[in-house]
Amino acid sequence: METRKKIELSPIEVTAYWWTNSIKEKVRDIIIHNSRDYNENLFINIFYGYTEVDWRNMYLALAKDIAHDVECLDTTQGNCFSQDTCIGGHDRLNEELAQITHKFIPDIRLAGFGVKDSVIYTTPSKASVWYKSCGERVLPTMYDESYILTGNQKKLDFYNTLISTIAIIEQKDKYFNSVPVLRERFCQEYIRLSDEDEKEEDITQWFNVCFDKADDKGLIHGRHFDRKYFPSFRNIDFVGLNPYLPLANHYADIILEPVKNNNENKSGKILKKHDKNN
């Protein structure tokens, strides 16, 4: 399995990716803050059950729609396609989301709680965002690979199996928090079960990428170079993971068994020393 690569996007694709991630983050944000707003709850009811496959389909559909929006502009007059995160500022996006989901999309604010609104501008040559709090920035065209961008099922399976394993470990042993043990045992078992000739260094590096990605998403607190990590799962984080739970349960047992044996050995040594002294 090759390690993470950078993927170059066109300005159209950059805008579609920006909106897809903004909507994903907004859904989680609404849930975390337990919003009582009627329209916001209608909004999350539409997208709550979305898996990475659904988000990729949204991204691909938005890219086509935004390409059409930009093509219809008279760019010779300096025009650009723009949408605002504020209420009433992204009517065209709502129309496109309605076509994609086949559902009415309530008009809500798409910036995060405590974050000022922003406007994204798109032309054939660039995509930029005006952050109302700190000015305008041209968005990069190079991005870390993700399932939304690549559709790589193997890497999605790896990531989902890893976070499912971490979640099950938390249920089985709430005191386990060793990053090195988790990485070593998970990668060893992955290689053992794999039908392909996987290189240990590649699997280890991809583990590190996925682990940091889980931290970026707020599922855990801790980076791959830390000694310890702390899970922080919410119900929405388990969407789409059911197919991975049986295998993840196996991984959890493999990871926890050495720790259990090690603790038993330590207890045995202490007991023998105590008996000898007596």
Side-chain angles (χ1 to χ4, degrees):
M1 180 186 294
E2 72 277 11
T3 54
R4 173 174 285 195
K5 299 177 181 178
K6 291 286 187 178
I7 296 175
E8 185 172 11
L9 303 181
S10 70
I12 304 296
E13 293 168 333
V14 167
T15 301
Y17 195 46
W18 190 87
W19 276 122
T20 301
N21 286 320
S22 295
I23 295 166
K24 283 182 67 177
E25 292 167 6
K26 184 63 180 181
V27 171
R28 198 169 192 270
D29 208 27
I30 293 171
I31 293 170
I32 290 174
H33 288 85
N34 195 25
S35 173
R36 301 298 178 87
D37 182 87
Y38 178 75
N39 282 336
E40 287 186 344
N41 278 278
L42 287 179
F43 189 84
I44 64 171
N45 285 338
I46 296 170
F47 298 107
Y48 182 89
Y50 265 40
T51 65
E52 288 299 286
V53 175
D54 297 313
W55 291 118
R56 172 168 167 76
N57 290 336
M58 173 189 288
Y59 160 73
L60 294 174
L62 279 178
K64 291 181 179 179
D65 291 338
I66 294 169
H68 176 74
D69 295 331
V70 172
E71 288 172 2
C72 292
L73 291 172
D74 182 6
T75 55
T76 60
Q77 301 299 316
N79 294 327
C80 58
F81 176 64
S82 66
Q83 294 281 271
D84 196 315
T85 60
C86 68
I87 294 177
H90 48 271
D91 291 343
R92 178 58 182 155
L93 175 66
N94 286 344
E95 291 175 3
E96 291 166 347
L97 291 176
Q99 293 172 0
I100 294 168
T101 62
H102 305 290
K103 295 180 181 179
F104 168 76
I105 304 297
D107 189 24
I108 68 167
R109 184 172 178 270
L110 293 178
F113 286 88
V115 178
K116 290 189 177 181
D117 285 303
S118 55
V119 185
I120 184 165
Y121 301 94
T122 313
T123 69
S125 60
K126 72 175 182 177
S128 60
V129 174
W130 171 39
Y131 299 98
K132 298 181 181 180
S133 57
C134 58
E136 186 173 352
R137 180 173 74 96
V138 176
L139 293 176
T141 58
M142 302 299 293
Y143 290 83
D144 288 334
E145 63 178 335
S146 67
Y147 179 80
I148 292 176
L149 296 180
T150 67
N152 188 317
Q153 187 65 44
K154 183 177 181 181
K155 290 190 174 181
L156 177 63
D157 290 342
F158 185 98
Y159 174 79
N160 283 344
T161 301
L162 174 59
I163 61 175
S164 298
T165 299
I166 293 172
I168 291 178
I169 287 175
E170 182 185 17
Q171 295 174 358
K172 293 190 173 200
D173 184 352
K174 64 181 179 180
Y175 298 107
F176 179 88
N177 59 12
S178 173
V179 177
V181 173
L182 174 68
R183 175 171 46 238
E184 179 183 6
R185 291 299 177 182
F186 184 91
C187 293
Q188 285 178 348
E189 188 63 10
Y190 181 88
I191 293 171
R192 189 184 75 82
L193 296 177
S194 178
D195 294 331
E196 301 179 22
D197 185 18
E198 304 283 9
K199 295 181 179 179
E200 184 176 355
E201 58 269 27
D202 289 344
I203 300 304
T204 299
Q205 187 168 351
W206 187 245
F207 174 98
N208 293 340
V209 168
C210 292
F211 192 84
D212 289 348
K213 181 180 178 181
D215 176 62
D216 293 338
K217 290 184 172 184
L219 279 63
I220 60 173
H221 300 295
R223 307 299 283 184
H224 76 271
F225 46 76
D226 292 328
R227 299 296 298 176
K228 297 180 179 180
Y229 74 93
F230 302 94
S232 183
F233 288 93
R234 299 177 184 272
N235 288 338
I236 191 172
D237 299 322
F238 294 98
V239 170
L241 295 186
N242 281 343
Y244 298 90
L245 296 181
L247 181 58
N249 187 70
H250 167 76
Y251 275 98
D253 288 340
I254 292 294
I255 291 162
L256 291 175
E257 189 63 28
V259 177
K260 177 182 176 183
N261 289 341
N262 189 43
N263 290 337
E264 288 175 349
N265 290 336
K266 288 180 180 178
S267 298
K269 289 179 181 179
I270 293 172
L271 179 59
K272 289 179 181 178
K273 182 178 181 181
H274 175 77
D275 289 344
K276 183 177 181 181
N277 291 337
N278 289 335

